[in-house]
Each structure stands twice: as C-alpha cells, then as structure tokens.
Amino acid sequence: MSPVNTRQNLSKKCMTRIGDDKLTPLIISVSVVVALFVLHVVGVLRPVESFIVSTASPVQNFLFVKAQNISGSLSLIGSLKSVAEENTTLEKKVGELESEMAHLKEVERENELLRKQIGFAKNEPVETIPALVVGLDPTSLVQSLNVDKGVKDGVQIGRPVIDSSGAMLGKIVKADDRSSSVLLLTDSNSSVVGITQDSRATGVLNGEHGLALTMSTIPQDKDVKSGERVVTAGMEKGMPKGLLIGEIAEIKAHDNELFKEAKVSPLGDFKAIEMVFIVK
Amino acid sequence: MKTYFYCALAVLLAFIQLSFFSSFYIFGATVSIVLVMLLALIITKDTRNAYFCALASGLVLDMHSELFFGHITLLLLLVVFLSTLILKIFLEHSTIFAKVALSFIATIGFALLQYVFLYGLHVVGVVGLKPILTFEGIVDVFISAILNTLVLFLVVKGILFFNMYFDKREYRSNSFIS
C-alpha cells in the first residue's frame, strides 16, 4: 500500500471516530455554553434574553398561579383538622385589629393636627409598581423570585418589594429591561436595617436559611419584647422608613455581650406570592 | 427531527419547571422535571439528545437564575456525562426499570455538585451570593430524589413510546426514498 493511501485511510478512520464519538455532543454543548457566557458578560445577549423572558412571562405567571392554587389546595386538605381552630384564632385577631384600627384613626387625626401646628411636611405615600411573579430561582440554594417588570418599567436595583398587605418581601437584586429578580428577606445573603416599633431598637436583619430572620446588633439597654413589630429603619439608599418586616419571636440576650439578638418571624407570605409591589 | 423535537420539549419543560414545579410543593419538596427528562433519555440510550436537551433547558434555567450564567447548563451536562458513565459501568445489564433508580443518585449528585460548584465560585469571588445548604434543604433533596424516581418511572414509558413512533416514521420515510 502506498504511503498516500495509508494516510488517507488513517484520516478517514479518524473522521469516522470523531463522527461516532459519543462525547461530540458534550464538547459542542460546552463550547456553546462558553460562547454564550462570553456574550452574556459582554451584554450582547441582553435583548435576546429580555425578549424571551418577556414573551414567556404571561404563560409563566399563569402556570405559577395554578401551581400555587393546587399546592394550596393540597396543603388545605392536609390541614383540615386545624382549620376550625385557626378560624377561631383569626376571628379573635380580627376583633382586636378592628378596635386597634379605630384607635389608630383617632391617633392619625391627632397626629395630622399636631404636624400642621408644628409645620412638618406631610408624609408622601409610597409609590409602587405592581409586578406579576413568573417563577422562583431554579436553584434551591438561593431564595429569590422573578417578576415581569424591569428597568423600562422604572424598576431600580436595591428597591424594596412588598406584598398586597404592605409587608416587605425582599429587595431587587437584578434588573433587566423587562424582568427583575427579588432576593427574599429570608435568604441568607439578604440584609436590611430594621427598627422595633415600641422600644425603638435598631438592628441588622439577616435571612436565616430561608426560614426566618435574625435581628442582630440590638443594643443591650433596649427592652425589646416578643411580639413587637419590626419595620425598616430607612437607613439604606432607596429604602423608605416604616415598611413592615416582621414580629419579634424570640430574644437571645447574654449579659457579657455587647449586643442582643432576636429571631424575627417575617409577616410577608413567602409561599403564596402571585403579585408583588416594587417601591419606586 | 427527533433532536429538534426533544430540544423544544426540553425548553418547554424548563419553563414549566420554573413556573409550575418550582412552587408546587409535595411534602416540602419539588419535582425536577428537566432532570427527569434527561435521565429518561439516558436510560433509553439516547445520550446524544440528552446532551442537547441539557443545553437547551439549562440555558432557559440560567436566564432566570440569580447566580452565575451558564452554571446550571454546565452542571446538567456534567450530570448527563456522569449518569451515562454510572449506567455503563454498574447498570449496563439491569432491566430498564431497575435503571430508574439512577434518578435517586443523579438528583442528590446534582444538588451536591451545584453546592460545591457555587461555593467554590463564591470563595474565588466570581459569585456574590453565598449558597447555603441547610438540614431542611438536605431533607428536601432526598424527598425530591424519591419524587423524581417515581416520575421517571412514568416518563420512561412515555419516552419508549415516542422512540418507537419516530423510529417507525424514519423507517417508513427511508423505505419510501429507496
């Protein structure tokens, strides 16, 4: 056999091997990911990503709401026994809140009068952007959700996100043209400065493994009590004062330490969010 | 034709995963329908399509992830590669439904790889957010592994049906050409 023929046979063999190689799809896929990663970092992919996300968001929201409803119904079946008990507790709470509201209305009127007399500026109501939740973060390692409003709708990074009852859910951490990501308060990476409503103790609230919140750096001299409400202190940029965060559940205090720590139960319903409001 | 069909299905499943299955809790855990589809393809010896489906669905998931772009795709590709190896070495001669047990290992493996990978990136400073693995999270992964195995059992039957359908169609068109 001539050397030319041998070389041709060898190259043919190599080509067949590469063509049949089961790793070829893996190599192609990894190369595509690397190329797309570069394009993503440069920002070339942004319009494409934005288009895909905004096109799919109505369907995504529909599916998200359906999943929440089914999941809610299933958990309701499981907790039928406790429903009656829960109903009695809630009825009692409604009565308490109604009387508290009547009292607060009086206080508000009095406050308005006093403000007028002193010449204080009137508190501006918080302006919000309503947004539909289209999904949760695909990794279970980060507690975040995706919403269908982005930079073009006036969303800015760092702005707080609240639910329909006004309780704070989290902060905007990523904003694309037509979608954004909200890092929930319960995520371990989340932090916000809060203040207790009665004892006026400030502290930093951090998420505790997606379950609750920990309020740290509370001065020892502040008499913080269980059940006290915690609101935002408004110390960070873009964070308004007075957004409801949660209730003090447990206080951990040691005499030999400079600060106290408290466990805070968030008041926002993190498991059944369909619509959120982004503070402008 | 088959590859395009599976890739379209993978993209659709990724969107369903993001919006439906991520918030559909069963005993506190969720079904990873994308992982189930990839494993079903591996079990039915369609590794080539499994890689392309991992690419298609992974990119959709990455678009919605808070962390480093591309990491879910890379991990899905790695899971497909490792699952194929495990299947070849340990489960080559097992029955197809015995191979479904692979889903249990793959789900736990995927969660573990994701944690190690992201934690490494956080230490290096590529990812700002620190991934946290909690006791509740570990329990959820185990329940999720059981759920995935159950769903895979049903999906494998579906995939076998589709494979048969496409093979028949291809055979018919080939015989028509010749």
Side-chain angles (χ1 to χ4, degrees), chain A residues 60 134 137 139 181 189 209, chain B residues 19 24 65-66 114 130 134:
Chain A
Q60 278 189 278
V134 293
D137 193 275
T139 60
S181 299
N189 294 290
H209 313 308
Chain B
S19 310
F24 185 70
S65 175
E66 202 39 63
Q114 197 170 38
K130 184 182 174 185
T134 58

Side-chain angles (χ1 to χ4, degrees), chain B residues 20-40:
Chain B
F20 190 84
F21 285 104
S22 62
S23 53
F24 185 70
Y25 296 99
I26 305 165
F27 303 114
T30 53
V31 174
S32 175
I33 198 78
V34 169
L35 200 61
V36 166
M37 190 211 176
L38 298 180
L39 292 167

Side-chain angles (χ1 to χ4, degrees), chain B residues 6 44 154-168:
Chain B
Y6 278 135
T44 51
L154 299 170
V155 171
V156 163
K157 286 203 163 189
I159 296 261
L160 286 174
F161 169 78
F162 273 113
N163 269 348
M164 226 159 67
Y165 172 77
F166 277 109
D167 289 346
K168 262 187 192 173

